[in-house]
Amino acid sequence: MSSRDVILGRVRRALADVTPDETPYELALPRDYEREHGGRSVAQTVELLAENLADYRALVHRCATVPELSALIAGLLAGRGARSVLVPPGLDEAWLADTGADVTRVPDGAESTAAELDRVDSVLTGCAVAIAETGTLVLDGSPDQGRRRITLIPDHHICVVRVPDQVVGAVPQAMERLDPVRPLTWISGPSATSDIELDRVEGVHGPRTLEVVLLGGADGS
Amino acid sequence: MSGTFVGMPAFQRAAHEAVRNETLRGNLRHATHTIRAKRAHAVAEVSDWAELREAGKRIKDHTLRHLDRYLVRVEEAVTAAGGVVHWAADADEANRIVAELVKATGESEVVKVKSMATQEIGLNEALEAEGIHAYETDLAELIVQLGKDRPSHILVPAIHRNRGEIRDIFRSEMSEWGRPAPEGLSDSPAELAEAARLHLREKFLRAKVGISGANFVVAETGTLVVVESEGNGRMCLTLPETLISVVGIEKIVPTWRDLEVFLQTLPRSSTAERMNPYTSTWTGTTDSDGPKNFHLVLLDNGRTDTLADEVGRQALRCIRCSACLNVCPVYERAGGHAYGSVYPGPIGAILSPQLRGTQSEIDASLPYASSLCGACYEVCPVAIDIPEVLVHLRERVAQGGTVTREGTKVVLRPAKGHAAERAAMRAARWAFSHPGALRTGQRLASRTRRFHPRTLPGPGRAWSGSRDLPPVPAEPFRDWWQRTNGGKDGVK
């Protein structure tokens, strides 16, 4: 008998006392918890996102238009002295319009090795959904976000969130928008550890600096 | 479970040693009190905590009640998504499967993200015996591995070490395993974390095989979820060509939507954060993103035996958040090592004796590693009634009875060392059903009270060693009641 049969047989015998219940799962399970906590306007939700991102030590910036964004990104890269930036294949070219030729654009390609990615200074991506209550960015590997590894190996990640379209209030609202078939990465602040006497230290293996740009009217328009 | 802890003294002896270690008690007290206060704050932020807790409990109970169906669904979904599913009835089989999968890649090194399941089965030791080196990449696990130590907490396995001890371990051991610790390494947490980053990055970048556990497996989609903070999980899950995940069969949830409950309760219960820094989900393999080969090893190793126990099966709801450890007065003083298992604290006290059986001395002692204060039940985000299971397991240890071991019903004899307890209970039952004998005994006890010892002789000495014997009244209550007409004739 295979181990599969052994385990399934043991499970069935172990549940001999359980009366079969054929109620459909969605009916069998009441979900009387909240979809989000408290009533908020769109602008308040965006504000909460900014607060919670900052609370987890992400650096939050805002801008209203793409030209402003492009200038901001050029400034952020220059401020760190970044000489190379990883660019996912579907990223809006206009975001980098103001970035000079002294910053090399490294395309995210399947052939690039982890060691090559390790030599890149910064990475710039969009995002799929941002969750205000938890200060979380979710990346789903869409063309403007690239493969999971590119937001992990460089030490500096700039993530652009379109507000308010990409912002939800709480975790249950985010789950609805996400496709489980895609590999997802949820990011709340920079990499961190509390393993040494529970003192929080930023930056163990992932990027030590996370900068989030909220693109669009902060008033929710 | 593995033999890692074979020869471990029973809980009471181990705890007796541990409470005399002042550094350990200091480290533990600082850590558990810090995280306890933070957790209460994080939970208070969520107005529907009670509803989330109830939903989490129900999701897990429903899954367990239909586990056969959901196991088959996981297999179908993972296979359809390009993964390969393996079934392991026990630790040896799981270790054999993983070792063969690693050997098939031609590699002799693997990077690991912290996993309770692989610790439980002693995977690192089993791989070492096959010539395969497994590198733990979680900072705390690295500290434990370099220090040739054992984890002492579910969430922060090196909680028993302070910064000075960690610096000493890094200085003396890192060079044995790869990149040595930087010159002049201080004991600041930032510098220590930086040393770990440099040491491990060279391993991540060349690793071809990664090994993980999973916090959840979604049956409807075949999606696995790993929740972490440092990014070492993301490294192990995405950089290697082959990913092997060893997952206990109780980790299943039915639907994608169910994660919305646990992704709210788990971070707040464990690290007291609104959300942990990184969560990764993956469904089989994805073209040009992440590993090309994905293997899921579904692990039983005592879980189906636990499922067969109608009272004890609720322990399988556990999502390994460790909130129960941080509130437990016994854990705070005794430390994680005293529990003799990778699962310490209150949850370990009910999980280990069920997964491993109560035959060994340490496992028979674990149900007694509690004051039954109930704090663990209060904080549990899936409402496991730990005190109820503890009492249930105490009964099993003291009286024996029918249990399931490796899928077969067996009748356990009462554990050794409980003969006096059983004899006393039998005598009490007899006396209470013979009123005449009870009355005679009580009168005799009252008249001889001047001669009673302050501690019990013989096997009772252990009990009275830490307790005062209750004083016997000068007159039995029933005699007083008769003499005074129930107190109506004046109290004397």
Side-chain angles (χ1 to χ4, degrees):
Chain A
M1 197 160 44
S2 72
S3 293
R4 180 186 190 277
D5 296 339
V6 168
I7 294 171
L8 288 173
R10 284 182 187 174
V11 169
R12 285 171 190 139
R13 284 199 300 282
L15 294 171
D17 67 296
V18 174
T19 344
D21 177 5
E22 295 309 321
T23 316
Y25 182 56
E26 282 310 315
L27 295 177
L29 192 92
R31 295 182 191 267
D32 46 8
Y33 49 87
E34 309 287 337
R35 304 302 295 160
E36 70 176 312
H37 297 92
R40 277 184 298 261
S41 68
V42 173
Q44 283 170 328
T45 304
V46 172
E47 197 52 41
L48 182 65
L49 172 68
E51 262 173 45
N52 283 337
L53 283 166
D55 195 32
Y56 280 158
R57 314 210 185 150
L59 307 173
V60 182
H61 313 273
R62 296 167 199 247
C63 58
T65 63
V66 172
E68 279 179 44
L69 173 70
S70 158
L72 177 65
I73 287 170
L76 294 178
L77 291 172
R80 276 188 63 98
R83 289 188 310 190
S84 54
V85 58
L86 260 165
V87 182
L91 194 85
D92 187 345
E93 277 293 317
W95 291 5
L96 284 165
D98 284 341
T99 301
D102 50 329
V103 179
T104 314
R105 289 161 209 198
V106 183
D108 165 34
E111 67 292 341
S112 53
T113 65
E116 282 162 11
L117 296 179
D118 194 30
R119 290 192 285 271
V120 181
D121 295 321
S122 302
V123 56
L124 173 64
T125 70
C127 93
V129 180
I131 308 168
E133 284 184 7
T134 56
T136 303
L137 311 169
V138 188
L139 274 56
D140 70 356
S142 292
D144 64 336
Q145 298 150 47
R147 294 175 302 154
R148 287 171 281 173
R149 54 168 60 184
I150 67 167
T151 55
L152 173 64
I153 300 177
D155 206 16
H156 179 221
H157 178 197
I158 305 172
C159 182
V160 178
V161 182
R162 294 175 197 273
V163 300
D165 321 351
Q166 291 180 324
V167 184
V168 297
V171 173
Q173 296 163 334
M175 296 305 295
E176 281 169 10
R177 289 212 194 179
L178 294 166
D179 178 0
V181 173
R182 291 172 174 274
L184 304 179
T185 304
W186 298 44
I187 299 172
S188 309
S191 157
T193 183
S194 299
D195 279 344
I196 301 166
E197 298 184 17
L198 294 180
D199 271 2
R200 190 174 167 102
V201 177
E202 263 88 42
V204 194
H205 304 301
R208 281 178 281 200
T209 308
L210 172 66
E211 305 207 60
V212 184
V213 184
L214 305 180
L215 169 65
D219 58 353
S221 60
Chain B
M1 274 205 240
S2 86
T4 316
F5 296 92
V6 163
M8 191 74 200
F11 178 82
Q12 286 81 351
R13 277 203 304 286
H16 195 67
E17 295 290 311
V19 293
R20 285 192 293 206
N21 182 340
E22 284 184 22
T23 311
L24 176 76
R25 285 188 63 171
N27 295 352
L28 279 172
R29 191 185 145 75
H30 167 69
T32 55
H33 282 248
T34 306
I35 204 162
R36 206 186 286 182
K38 278 178 66 189
R39 179 201 160 274
H41 184 258
V43 167
E45 262 188 21
V46 186
S47 52
D48 56 345
W49 187 259
E51 288 79 12
L52 285 168
R53 185 182 190 232
E54 181 65 20
K57 172 185 184 228
R58 294 240 203 152
I59 291 168
K60 283 284 192 172
D61 270 350
H62 169 91
T63 318
L64 292 169
R65 283 169 163 263
H66 302 90
L67 191 58
D68 48 341
R69 187 197 300 171
Y70 287 118
L71 277 165
V72 171
R73 204 166 290 172
V74 163
E75 182 181 48
E76 287 166 2
V78 170
T79 309
V84 182
V85 176
H86 310 260
W87 300 71
D90 58 24
D92 287 344
E93 186 173 16
N95 289 334
R96 207 162 50 239
I97 291 168
V98 176
E100 279 167 18
L101 289 172
V102 178
K103 280 187 194 167
T105 66
E107 294 294 315
S108 60
E109 280 184 1
V110 299
V111 286
K112 280 187 68 202
V113 46
K114 174 179 180 313
S115 142
M116 304 299 303
T118 60
Q119 278 171 14
E120 174 191 319
I121 61 177
L123 179 65
N124 292 7
E125 295 77 9
L127 290 178
E128 199 64 47
E130 301 277 338
I132 299 162
H133 304 291
Y135 297 113
E136 292 292 349
T137 63
D138 170 79
L139 176 54
E141 286 295 341
L142 175 73
I143 296 165
V144 168
Q145 190 174 39
L146 291 176
K148 299 176 184 68
D149 198 355
R150 288 174 182 154
S152 70
H153 191 282
I154 288 175
L155 177 76
V156 271
I159 201 169
H160 56 290
R161 297 286 200 186
N162 62 29
R163 59 187 73 190
E165 295 175 286
I166 294 167
R167 179 202 51 203
D168 294 345
I169 291 170
F170 279 12
R171 276 187 182 165
S172 65
E173 302 298 328
M174 265 187 175
S175 58
E176 297 276 309
W177 292 78
R179 181 171 176 150
E183 285 292 319
L185 178 67
S186 84
D187 66 358
S188 90
E191 272 193 46
L192 294 169
E194 174 72 12
R197 178 186 175 98
L198 295 171
H199 178 81
L200 286 172
R201 189 156 277 227
E202 64 165 28
K203 294 195 167 56
F204 286 132
L205 297 185
R206 68 164 189 249
K208 296 280 190 285
V209 183
I211 295 181
S212 83
N215 293 89
F216 306 98
V217 180
V218 180
E220 75 171 341
T221 57
T223 306
L224 274 81
V225 183
V226 163
V227 168
E228 48 122 8
S229 293
E230 296 173 9
N232 65 304
R234 293 181 62 193
M235 291 273 183
C236 293
L237 300 171
T238 55
L239 296 187
E241 288 168 8
T242 300
L243 172 61
I244 305 166
S245 300
V246 182
V247 182
I249 55 175
E250 82 285 13
K251 291 294 178 90
I252 297 174
V253 296
T255 67
W256 173 247
R257 190 180 171 190
D258 295 326
L259 295 175
E260 71 192 18
V261 174
F262 300 108
L263 289 179
Q264 294 190 80
T265 53
L266 177 56
R268 287 177 202 266
S269 295
S270 59
T271 53
E273 293 170 300
R274 295 187 193 105
M275 188 62 83
N276 48 291
Y278 295 131
T279 299
S280 298
T281 77
W282 72 99
T283 305
T285 54
T286 306
D287 287 342
S288 77
D289 185 358
K292 293 186 185 72
N293 312 300
F294 170 57
H295 296 273
L296 170 63
V297 182
L298 291 169
L299 177 72
D300 179 347
N301 205 35
R303 285 159 176 75
T304 49
D305 293 341
T306 309
L307 188 66
D309 187 309
E310 291 171 34
V311 178
R313 64 169 60 129
Q314 58 183 306
L316 296 176
R317 292 205 296 261
C318 177
I319 55 172
R320 315 280 190 258
C321 72
S322 75
C324 63
L325 276 63
N326 300 323
V327 296
C328 178
V330 177
Y331 175 86
E332 182 189 326
R333 287 160 182 84
H337 289 156
Y339 292 81
S341 159
V342 298
Y343 303 110
I347 187 63
I350 62 168
L351 205 49
S352 307
Q354 295 200 86
L355 293 176
R356 304 192 293 207
T358 49
Q359 288 87 336
S360 79
E361 201 191 354
I362 179 81
D363 287 315
S365 74
L366 285 176
Y368 296 86
S370 166
S371 62
L372 299 180
C373 75
C376 47
Y377 175 43
E378 287 293 309
V379 297
C380 179
V382 285
I384 301 170
D385 193 341
I386 296 177
E388 181 190 17
V389 183
L390 284 167
V391 172
H392 170 71
L393 292 174
R394 286 183 188 187
E395 186 184 330
R396 175 185 301 172
V397 168
Q399 296 200 354
T402 310
V403 295
T404 306
R405 296 310 304 160
E406 294 177 10
T408 309
K409 286 216 159 80
V410 292
V411 178
L412 282 187
R413 294 165 54 118
K416 275 188 208 156
H418 294 268
E421 187 183 335
R422 275 196 310 283
M425 289 302 158
R426 264 202 299 271
R429 190 167 57 205
W430 183 84
F432 284 125
S433 54
H434 294 78
L438 181 64
R439 173 167 306 196
T440 312
Q442 285 175 333
R443 284 181 181 156
L444 189 66
S446 286
R447 278 177 207 145
T448 56
R449 61 202 283 258
R450 285 191 299 128
F451 307 108
H452 291 178
R454 303 178 76 163
T455 54
L456 289 171
R461 191 179 298 149
W463 190 88
S464 61
S466 55
R467 297 171 181 84
D468 287 334
L469 280 180
V472 175
E475 181 182 24
F477 173 76
R478 296 197 299 182
D479 287 0
W480 171 86
W481 183 269
Q482 268 191 342
R483 180 169 61 74
T484 62
N485 190 18
K488 285 178 195 149
D489 297 350
V491 178
K492 160 66 192 77

